Amino acid sequence: MRDEERVWKVSQIDEEAGERLCRALGMPLLLARLLVARGISSPDGARRYLSPALADFLDPYLLADMERAVRRINRAISSGERVTVVGHEDTDGLTGTVVLLEILRKMGAEADYYLPSRVEEGHGLSRRAIARAKQRGSALIVTVDCGVTDSHPVAEAGRNGIDVIVLDHHEVIAPLPSAVAVVDPKRPDSAYPFRGLAGVGVAFKTAQALVAGADRGPRAEWEQVAPDLLELVLLGSIADRVPLCDENRVAAVLGLKAFEATERIGLQALKHGLKGEEDRDLRAMELVQGSISLIASARSEDGGNDGCELLLTHDSASAGTVVTKLRKESERWHAAARASFDRVLKMLDREIDEPIIILVNEEIPYYLLGHCASRLRKLYMRPAILIGKRGAGLAGEARGPKWFDLMECLATSDELLESWGGHKGAAGFSLSRDRLPAFSDRVRAYAAERIDPVDLQEILRIDIEVGEGELGPDLIKVLAALRPYGEGNPAPLLLARTVDVTSQGPRCVVKAGGDSISLIDERRRSSWTDLSGRPLQLDIVFTLGDSDELLLVDCRPTFLNE
């Protein structure tokens, strides 16, 4: 979308609340105003947001069925039963698998893992996973980031003499499976105060419950164990785009600190490999995003996964070998992703009239459907569904903006789909070819009824307008205090009005009053001068990038906003 089509919306904040918070905590007024813009106006709320502690985590036993899950796991440990953790082949499921596996082994369990291949086995508790668990002599399967819609596989495991505990965070769209326990904050009967946990977050809460024990008391052991797990919770939560607020904010802030000081051999190898690709020092969030990208490239084979092995290893040499392999896999993945998305774009007109995009292309690899759908959503600012081939049938991935509920949309086609599930903003499904026309018609009708053309405008939601003296040397430090950024806690957008451009180019310098800031202009906008060649005064929107440099997001001549 062209810059001039963007709509600027500046948050209206309680300036007096910002001043009170500034005085109460002795913080910069700019930081206090940014917190108020995010709904945080009390000193205690600001403390929890900026400097959370382990004590800020909720009681894990508030999650439905957590007590049953802990009791069954403890029984397996005490009786020497083998436990198999079955995860999901993405960064969230992979990190969640490692979190649970490590805590089980620390507590003395005989435990292994199985990560089904998305391409060959699909999402969830697969028949191969059950067969492998039975072959290994497992008496208990614990699913991570999957299982809440797996009623038939759970029943099959039971027929094979294997109990199942489900740890999941996806929406519940059918009766719960007949598992020993189903721990999911999105259960309709859940009293848990926060629904937004990632799969790795649910695994972490289970680890917290296991260490705390039935008396739920504080344990010094938990304070020692938690940081090693929180660095994984950070990676999985950001990768799965769960909202980084409430309990996820606690995990993300503490996880980022743990990540920066990590002693985990696999993460050290990842960071070393990423730094070796650059001719400059990488910042913490650049390393986080780079690590997520490399871990995401790990593919499962026969239940094993290089990403899991990397995070579990204690051997530096093997870690380096795996990172080298993952870098090559990542390069291949990105090349295939670019080619696939180019193929998708050729199917579209540049201007899209329909409120939802539905495309079918059986040449797109199944594992890239979600990536391409996500890019379509971002490019055209509307829901996108991409359908491809999986086995003898079809499978689709859907991605949508915050204001569109994909789960509600897919529910209207429940009887047409063989399987479906996911979240409000990201979902997947499978269907037979003969039902594709009816499915497409129903989804288009649903979207036409609920999407207004106004919804399709690109809106820049600006946190605050900065005033005189707020563009000083502490600006970057203040913005960095809101990290880590992510879904539900985006990088703040700031508006500065009537600034003078003193230097132009890929890196420009603007001046307001006695302060000046340097900005990276990735779009290389045209020269900001009037017809006589004199510099124009601008209104600019900017933010802080992962590299700790300010980024120019949008700009307009001041006279256009007067």
Side-chain angles (χ1 to χ4, degrees), residues 3 6-10 459-466 471 479 491-499 508 510 517 519-523 525 528 538-544 550-557 561:
D3 287 353
R6 288 172 164 177
V7 177
W8 292 9
K9 287 194 174 181
V10 185
I459 298 175
L460 292 183
R461 302 191 182 279
I462 298 166
D463 290 66
I464 60 171
E465 179 178 340
V466 292
L471 295 180
L479 297 180
L493 292 179
L494 278 64
L495 169 63
R497 296 189 187 275
T498 320
V499 302
C508 59
V510 300
I517 55 173
L519 300 150
I520 294 177
D521 180 15
E522 294 178 338
R523 295 188 179 220
R525 293 164 178 80
W528 297 308
L538 300 177
D539 292 351
I540 64 170
V541 179
F542 63 96
T543 191
L544 181 65
L550 297 174
L551 307 178
L552 181 64
V553 176
D554 203 1
C555 63
R556 293 173 186 166
N561 288 333

Side-chain angles (χ1 to χ4, degrees), residues 34-305:
L34 284 167
L35 290 174
V36 171
R38 298 191 175 212
I40 302 165
S41 57
S42 71
D44 188 54
R47 194 277 307 163
R48 286 197 305 271
Y49 180 89
L50 296 172
S51 303
L54 284 176
D56 291 318
F57 280 111
L58 298 169
D59 180 356
Y61 285 96
L62 294 175
L63 283 159
D65 273 5
M66 181 61 81
E67 195 165 341
R68 291 182 183 179
V70 169
R71 188 163 56 243
R72 181 62 184 90
I73 291 171
N74 281 333
R75 195 178 91 203
I77 294 172
S78 61
S79 60
E81 294 176 323
R82 175 175 284 274
V83 181
T84 294
V85 180
V86 177
H88 175 44
E89 192 194 34
D90 67 1
T91 304
D92 181 23
L94 190 153
T95 52
T97 296
V98 174
V99 164
L100 189 64
L101 193 61
E102 286 195 341
I103 203 67
L104 289 174
R105 289 175 175 174
K106 284 181 184 294
M107 298 185 71
E110 185 180 354
D112 54 40
Y113 78 91
Y114 187 99
L115 250 67
S117 165
R118 278 183 289 180
V119 175
E120 297 179 3
E121 301 171 71
H123 177 274
L125 180 58
S126 67
R127 288 186 172 181
R128 290 189 199 176
I130 296 169
R132 180 59 58 83
K134 183 178 181 180
Q135 181 184 27
R136 291 172 176 171
S138 295
L140 176 63
I141 287 174
V142 185
T143 71
V144 174
D145 193 29
C146 60
V148 77
T149 59
D150 289 341
S151 292
H152 294 304
V154 169
E156 181 179 339
R159 289 192 293 271
N160 282 274
I162 303 173
D163 287 342
V164 178
I165 293 171
V166 171
L167 306 182
D168 204 350
H169 73 125
H170 291 93
E171 297 288 348
V172 179
I173 58 175
L176 296 177
S178 56
V180 172
V182 179
V183 181
D184 187 330
K186 294 187 176 75
R187 282 178 53 158
D189 61 342
S190 175
Y192 198 68
F194 182 56
R195 284 171 45 90
L197 294 173
V200 67
V202 179
F204 177 80
K205 298 303 296 184
T206 306
Q208 183 186 3
L210 284 165
V211 174
D215 59 5
R216 310 183 191 186
R219 298 285 178 90
E221 181 185 356
W222 178 239
E223 295 180 1
Q224 295 175 347
V225 169
D228 290 341
L229 304 180
L230 282 167
E231 59 192 14
L232 302 180
V233 179
L234 167 75
L235 298 178
S237 297
I238 290 180
D240 217 52
R241 301 181 65 84
V242 294
L244 296 186
C245 56
D246 295 292
E247 200 166 23
N248 286 342
R249 170 72 183 177
V250 179
V253 173
L254 297 180
L256 183 57
K257 291 179 180 177
F259 178 85
E260 291 182 279
T262 186
E263 295 182 1
R264 187 180 295 272
I265 298 297
L267 290 183
Q268 289 179 345
L270 278 171
K271 292 200 281 187
H272 178 75
L274 291 165
K275 290 176 180 177
E277 296 177 347
E278 300 289 338
D279 57 1
R280 62 179 179 83
D281 289 336
L282 294 178
R283 304 300 184 184
M285 285 309 300
E286 291 178 296
L287 292 170
V288 167
Q289 296 292 354
S291 297
I292 289 171
S293 179
L294 288 180
I295 292 171
S297 67
R299 300 274 74 85
S300 294
E301 184 176 351
D302 198 27
N305 184 283

Side-chain angles (χ1 to χ4, degrees), residues 34 70 161 357 362 401 464 491 502 527 534:
L34 284 167
V70 169
I357 298 172
E362 297 190 29
I464 60 171
T502 60
S527 178
R534 292 175 300 185

Side-chain angles (χ1 to χ4, degrees), residues 307-350:
C308 274
E309 296 302 321
L310 175 65
L311 296 177
L312 290 167
T313 189
H314 296 283
D315 182 75
S316 298
S318 64
T321 300
V322 173
V323 169
T324 299
K325 182 178 178 181
L326 290 181
R327 286 171 63 178
K328 292 179 180 178
E329 289 292 336
S330 180
E331 290 171 2
R332 283 193 286 268
W333 186 93
H334 281 94
R338 286 191 296 270
S340 294
F341 192 62
D342 287 344
R343 188 176 291 123
V344 169
L345 288 180
K346 289 178 181 177
M347 301 173 65
L348 291 169
D349 293 327
R350 194 61 186 172

Side-chain angles (χ1 to χ4, degrees), residues 448-466:
E449 289 179 2
R450 287 163 176 79
I451 297 178
D452 189 283
V454 175
D455 296 329
L456 305 179
Q457 292 181 309
E458 184 175 8
I459 298 175
L460 292 183
R461 302 191 182 279
I462 298 166
D463 290 66
I464 60 171
E465 179 178 340
V466 292

